[in-house]
Amino acid sequence: MIREERETPFGWLVVASLQGEVDLGLLSPAERELTLPMGPRRIASFVGGRVALRRALDRVGAPATPLLATGRGGPTLPDGVTGSISHKDDVAVAVAARSVEGEHVGVDLETDAPLRVDIGRRVLREEEQARLAGLEPVARDRLVRETFAVKEAIYKAIDPVMKRYVAFQEVALELDGKGGALAILHLNEPAPAFSLEVAIESMRGPHGERMLLAFARARVTDRRRP
């Protein structure tokens, strides 16, 4: 099931394939209970995500504990570590790292293929749309998809602190075209101040398909902000 594992600036990344028969024996009893109401595809992604995250956590020396679900839908984690899961089609990815209080990572995986529907107006703030206005359609489409993936990773990184839905309009990105980006938060108050690091890269899926892999790390810099 494990296809790849490597260290990144955001922590240990593990990639798992969701192809083949699902082995529920890879889960702890408590984790298996969570799969009871799930359909086959959801079970496959759940198992793949937990297997990948457990391997990533092991790589950073975290204790082996059941990876259940928080009230917000993310995985529960041992103290002293941060982690995130994403899955798309036949692939699940997880990243884990040692952390200090107020620091969290997020990961997002998306198919790297032209959009069937233009989601630019939903995903982009006005200033982001203005920067893309002069691009050719193919280049604009790709940057919209990259923006979507990075923003999703950011949402996962700040969710353990925010504990609410964060809209696309609450984050602005300036992608540099080299895998990095400047991220600026416009969070609706009340909200703490964060520092952000983000990155995006390409990877291949199990069928050779191109995919986008986005990372984010968020650190709380001021909890006193109203």
Side-chain angles (χ1 to χ4, degrees), residues 12-47:
W12 271 94
L13 171 73
V14 177
V15 182
S17 173
L18 306 183
Q19 295 176 293
E21 185 176 350
V22 177
D23 182 4
L24 289 175
L26 296 172
L27 302 179
S28 71
E31 291 167 343
R32 285 198 296 272
E33 285 190 21
L34 296 180
T35 69
L36 293 178
M38 299 178 185
R41 288 195 63 81
R42 179 69 185 95
I43 290 175
S45 62
F46 182 87
V47 173

Side-chain angles (χ1 to χ4, degrees), residues 10-219:
F10 297 85
W12 271 94
L13 171 73
V14 177
V15 182
S17 173
L18 306 183
Q19 295 176 293
E21 185 176 350
V22 177
D23 182 4
L24 289 175
L26 296 172
L27 302 179
S28 71
E31 291 167 343
R32 285 198 296 272
E33 285 190 21
L34 296 180
T35 69
L36 293 178
M38 299 178 185
R41 288 195 63 81
R42 179 69 185 95
I43 290 175
S45 62
F46 182 87
V47 173
R50 260 45 184 192
V51 168
L53 182 56
R54 184 170 292 110
R55 178 69 68 88
L57 289 168
D58 182 65
R59 286 293 195 177
V60 300
T65 60
L67 304 175
L68 304 180
T70 67
R72 295 281 304 155
T76 59
L77 297 166
D79 293 337
V81 296
T82 176
S84 180
I85 297 172
S86 185
H87 48 81
K88 193 74 174 181
D89 299 331
D90 292 332
V91 187
V93 297
V95 65
R98 284 286 175 181
S99 71
V100 297
E101 183 180 0
E103 178 182 275
H104 301 277
V105 296
V107 67
D108 187 62
L109 181 67
E110 301 293 337
T111 303
D112 189 4
L115 295 166
R116 296 178 181 178
V117 178
D118 185 0
I119 60 172
R121 290 186 179 275
R122 178 168 68 90
V123 172
L124 306 177
R125 290 171 57 88
E126 288 187 7
E127 63 268 31
E128 293 173 306
Q129 294 183 48
R131 285 194 293 271
L132 300 186
L135 295 180
E136 294 294 324
V138 172
R140 182 185 183 280
D141 178 271
R142 181 173 180 81
L143 282 176
V144 170
R145 288 184 281 114
E146 290 181 342
T147 299
F148 177 87
V150 173
K151 287 191 177 185
E152 287 289 326
I154 290 172
Y155 301 149
K156 292 181 180 181
I158 66 176
D159 186 79
V161 178
M162 294 299 295
K163 297 180 180 177
R164 68 162 174 83
Y165 170 76
V166 176
F168 284 104
Q169 301 302 311
E170 293 182 72
V171 182
L173 292 179
E174 290 186 37
L175 299 171
D176 62 14
K178 301 176 182 178
L182 172 64
I184 301 173
L185 296 176
H186 298 270
L187 298 173
N188 298 328
E189 301 295 355
F194 292 91
S195 66
L196 289 173
E197 300 170 61
V198 299
I200 189 165
E201 62 181 61
S202 296
M203 62 171 279
R204 291 285 182 179
H207 310 291
E209 68 272 33
R210 292 181 62 86
M211 308 190 84
L212 293 173
L213 183 62
F215 302 92
R217 179 188 289 112
R219 297 185 182 93

